[in-house]
Every structure is written in structure tokens, then in C-alpha cells.
Amino acid sequence: MSSIQKAFKVILIPTHNQEILINKTIGCVRYVYNRFLALKKELYASEGKTLNYNACSQHLTILKKEIEWLKEVDKFALQNSLKNLETAYKNFFADLKKVKGKKGVGFPKFKKKHGCKQSYKTNLTNGNIQIIENRLKLPKLGWVRFHKSQDITGKLVNVTITRTSRGKYIASILCETEIEKYPQVTENIGLDLGLKSYLTTSNGETVDNPKYYRTQKRKLRKAHKKLSRSVKGSSNRVKAKIKLARIYERITNLRDDFLHKLSTRLIKENSIICIEDLRVSNMVKNHKLALSISDASWSKFVTMLEYKALWHNRIVQKVGTFYPSSQTCNCCVFINPLVKDLKLREWTCPICNNYNLRDANASLNILSEGLRILTAAVGAPDAIYACGELVSPGFFQAEIVETGITRL
Ligand SMILES: [Zn+2]
């Protein structure tokens, strides 16, 4: 058993008054964020001073005495808004140090009333949040009914309320819960993420790319057309917007479901999973490939693999972007420069005559390179434990050496 944090998403059914209060809270959260962002900018420009979270929090207490309506809403939501602002600043500066000159997360921006995510987060203190059957108790709102589609188990941590573009209200309930770990296995696997197929494994399995955007393309185009032709402010425009949002939501749901099933299976069946460290954000800039890549949503997939690996004592090992996984012959390690051409799907090695299928060969190389990196890290226990509590070093070492010899 291990303890994990899991978010349960439910659709809320607020009363009219609760709906008003949720919207008010979202508005106040945005107001606090923007007001303090402006204040921080101003102070920095005029006096070169920075305002940290604690200072902002003190200011907020004063502000609440001046502005009546800020007191009407959940106080945790407002505090979390300040925390988000602090995080946005931290991310900006951390990113600045990491990649000089490259476009990163960017300086915190003012939140708009429309377009960006409309939500607020509240925290659990002294039983202010509770769940009984299909009712969720939230600060200021009281008991809100919700559609019960799954059992919510574990210890409550916090709740995020979101208003979707379709005008629905979703509560994401974060709980600390116990999960039963999958039994230990000894198989290791290399994955080559591709466009032609979603991925190819070192076992020779190919998983097809479901391409949800492409299949829904006609519907999307139709909905986009309808929206652009509708008159601003008309009820038809609202309808068109909802219709479009619904298609996007469906695509996301289908894709997430696919990614969850695939990542769960790979984690269940394998002990070490080696993947290429794709700089997806850089690749998306290539427009021709952009649709396919964002459709494939690799980064989401890799994130899923990583957190599920932590839950179940598995290892996800990334292999550097510059490692020539496609060009190397997995049999004799000869690097064939001709394979740089993406169109070359299969080739015979001029040195050892091994016949290589592009993606399968790459996944075998990714596996051996990933295991090589891990083997090198055995000497430094910190590196092995870097991603949490993993397999015991003894087991780990024996496993690597054994597989390493056969593969390298
Ligand atoms: Zn060869």
C-alpha cells in the first residue's frame, strides 16, 4: 500500500444562489490576483521593491476592511489567488535562469474575465469541507449537490471549483488515498513515440494513434464556421460557443481515456520504462507536424507514466533528445546517417546486415540507452532515489546488469 493524492472530478448542481456566489468568488479571485499583480509591478517600478506572499497577505487583510464584497466570499480562495500569483512569479524567474533567451513561461499576466480558466481553490480546515453521499459542503456555499459517478475515498485535502466554457460547474476534490501497488515485475521496456503509430515498444508491439482531432475535424470545422458567422451578443452565438466547447470536451475526454488505459497497462507490465525526452514544445513549432503532435499529447502521456511510476514503484528513465535512437543499428551500434530522413521507414544495416524497422529499432535503442544511464547511476544512490522511493538498490543493480549485458 502507498499513500497518493488523487483528484476526483464531479459535476456540481448548484442552486441559483450558489451559482451566483461561485461566480462572485471567481470574480473576487481574479480581482485580487490582478490588483496585487499591479501593486507588485508598481512597487518594483517606482522603488525597486518586491512584495512577497506574506506582505501581500497582510495587504489583503487591510483591503478586506475597505472593500465590503471581498468579505462575502471564501477567504481561502482569495489566499490561494495570492499563492498562485507568487507561484507565477517564481516560475517566471526559475525559467529565466534555466533557458536564457528562450521563450519560457513568460511574466505573469493580468487575468481576463473571459478566455482563461475560471476557477478558485479552497482548503480544508476544521471540517469546512465535507462529503455526505451526493452532497459536498463548501465554505460560504454550504451543501452543494453533485452528480455522483464514482466513490470518493480518502482524506480530503482541497477542492477546486471550475466554471467550464460550457457553463458547467466542476469540483475537483483532492484526496489523500491509499492505493494497492501492482506486484513487482521484472520486464523492462523501451518506447518510441511516433506520429505514424502512437508508440512502438521494444517488444515489437505497435499502438495505433487514435487521432481524435482528425476524426472530429469536420464537426469542428462546422462548429467553428457557425460561431464565426453568428452575430456578437446573440443567443445563437452562445449556442454555437457551447456546441464548439462540447466537441473539444469530447475530444479531450476520449484522448485522456486512451492515455490513461495505455499508461496504466505499461506501468502494470513493466518495471523500468525508457522513453525519449522529447522537447515537444519545440517540435510543435513545426506547423506541418503541429496538429499530429498536439493530437498525440505526448507530454500528458509522459506525465501520467511518471506519476503512476511513483505510485507503483516503477522507474521512468528519459533518454536525451540528442541520442540518435533511430539512426543507430540496435544489433551492431553502427550509426547510419541516411536514417535521418524521416521517410525512411526500414533499412538494412550495411555493417551487420540486420534488417531494421525504423520505430522498433528506435525503441530497442531507447531501452538499452535508458538502462545504460540507469546502470551508470547505480554508483550514485541519490540519483536512483531522485524520483522518490524506488526499487531497492540491490534488486535494481542485479536487474540492470543482467538486462544490460544482453542488450549492449
Ligand atoms: Zn548493424
Side-chain angles (χ1 to χ4, degrees):
M1 295 289 265
S2 81
S3 166
I4 59 153
Q5 289 202 333
K6 194 173 175 181
F8 298 91
K9 275 188 185 171
V10 296
I11 300 170
L12 295 176
I13 318 165
T15 63
H16 182 64
N17 285 340
Q18 284 172 335
E19 199 176 321
I20 291 172
L21 191 52
I22 293 173
N23 288 331
K24 219 181 221 176
T25 314
I26 290 172
C28 287
V29 160
R30 185 177 54 237
Y31 175 82
V32 165
Y33 190 95
N34 287 344
R35 173 141 186 166
F36 280 89
L37 175 56
L39 188 67
K40 275 164 92 99
K41 279 172 121 174
E42 221 176 86
L43 258 175
Y44 189 75
S46 61
E47 297 169 45
K49 272 188 194 162
T50 52
L51 206 61
N52 65 11
Y53 169 72
N54 287 334
C56 284
S57 192
Q58 281 168 11
H59 269 267
L60 179 63
T61 315
I62 302 165
L63 196 65
K64 277 167 93 174
K65 280 178 188 146
E66 290 166 19
I67 306 172
E68 258 324 286
W69 42 265
L70 280 179
K71 273 186 280 191
E72 290 172 30
V73 304
D74 186 346
K75 61 179 177 192
F76 299 105
L78 303 183
Q79 274 164 12
N80 283 325
S81 186
L82 288 181
K83 274 185 195 150
N84 285 345
L85 180 61
E86 177 96 344
T87 312
Y89 262 83
K90 272 190 186 146
N91 287 346
F92 170 69
F93 286 114
D95 210 56
L96 215 59
K97 278 179 205 152
K98 235 183 341 194
V99 271
K100 269 191 183 146
K102 269 196 180 171
K103 210 179 155 199
V105 290
F107 191 77
K109 287 185 200 73
F110 288 103
K111 284 198 189 302
K112 290 182 199 140
K113 196 168 177 184
H114 302 285
C116 49
K117 205 177 155 200
Q118 308 287 329
S119 66
Y120 77 87
K121 191 168 96 179
T122 183
N123 308 62
L124 177 92
T125 350
N126 302 326
N128 60 348
I129 306 174
Q130 283 175 43
I131 298 172
I132 295 176
E133 301 224 330
N134 62 342
R135 290 182 312 144
L136 170 67
K137 188 186 165 199
L138 289 164
K140 296 276 181 185
L141 286 170
W143 290 96
V144 188
R145 287 199 307 131
F146 65 85
H147 284 291
K148 199 176 179 191
S149 54
Q150 57 184 331
D151 279 330
I152 298 161
T153 51
K155 221 174 83 202
L156 275 162
V157 180
N158 62 47
V159 178
T160 303
I161 315 284
T162 307
R163 186 178 66 220
T164 71
S165 47
R166 282 174 63 184
K168 279 199 296 187
Y169 296 90
I170 311 271
S172 177
I173 306 162
L174 191 72
C175 294
E176 213 160 82
T177 180
E178 297 279 315
I179 56 154
E180 204 162 329
K181 286 184 181 179
Y182 295 145
Q184 201 60 261
V185 286
T186 50
E187 281 81 12
N188 303 327
I189 203 165
L191 307 178
D192 178 56
L193 303 178
L195 290 174
K196 219 164 176 301
S197 46
Y198 191 78
L199 60 84
T200 307
T201 75
S202 51
N203 298 334
E205 188 196 347
T206 305
V207 177
D208 283 335
N209 192 345
K211 291 189 179 154
Y212 295 115
Y213 269 110
R214 302 250 154 130
T215 53
Q216 305 276 323
K217 213 170 161 186
R218 274 188 55 206
K219 276 188 196 166
L220 270 175
R221 198 184 294 152
K222 225 173 115 187
H224 269 294
K225 235 184 212 169
K226 217 167 190 178
L227 180 65
S228 64
R229 281 180 188 163
S230 62
V231 183
K232 265 188 187 171
S234 70
S235 67
N236 272 341
R237 194 178 177 85
V238 177
K239 265 190 223 159
K241 258 188 188 163
I242 290 175
K243 172 101 194 184
L244 186 64
R246 197 173 292 164
I247 300 172
Y248 275 116
E249 205 175 280
R250 187 172 154 69
I251 294 172
T252 311
N253 288 346
L254 283 169
R255 207 177 44 191
D256 285 358
D257 190 52
F258 164 77
L259 297 177
H260 268 301
K261 279 181 182 147
L262 184 61
S263 55
T264 297
R265 179 167 69 86
L266 288 165
I267 288 290
K268 208 171 188 171
E269 291 171 355
N270 299 284
S271 170
I272 300 171
I273 296 164
C274 304
I275 45 168
E276 217 170 346
D277 186 4
L278 294 159
R279 299 287 150 89
V280 177
S281 58
N282 278 339
M283 288 175 77
V284 175
K285 280 172 197 147
N286 179 345
H287 285 293
K288 223 173 167 186
L289 293 175
L291 187 63
S292 309
I293 292 172
S294 46
D295 201 356
S297 55
W298 288 326
S299 51
K300 203 172 198 174
F301 175 67
V302 173
T303 310
M304 283 181 185
L305 277 181
E306 283 175 329
Y307 72 72
K308 287 176 188 176
L310 276 181
W311 292 356
H312 297 286
N313 269 5
R314 306 311 203 227
I315 295 170
V316 172
Q317 177 60 49
K318 286 187 181 170
V319 170
T321 332
F322 299 109
Y323 173 69
S325 60
S326 300
Q327 298 165 52
T328 310
C329 167
N330 76 77
C331 190
C332 71
V333 217
F334 170 69
I335 297 175
N336 186 352
L338 294 175
V339 191
K340 267 190 183 167
D341 181 4
L342 277 169
K343 281 183 218 123
L344 193 69
R345 305 303 308 169
E346 44 206 90
W347 51 286
T348 305
C349 175
I351 305 299
C352 72
N353 266 334
N354 194 41
Y355 180 69
N356 292 318
L357 289 166
R358 185 190 188 91
D359 298 340
N361 176 58
S363 62
L364 281 167
N365 286 327
I366 288 165
L367 174 62
S368 35
E369 176 66 6
L371 293 177
R372 188 193 64 77
I373 296 169
L374 276 172
T375 314
V378 170
D382 289 353
I384 306 165
Y385 285 97
C387 29
E389 284 176 41
L390 294 170
V391 196
S392 76
F395 166 82
F396 185 74
Q397 195 158 16
E399 189 55 31
I400 299 287
V401 172
E402 195 188 316
T403 342
I405 290 166
T406 50
R407 280 257 43 89
L408 288 172

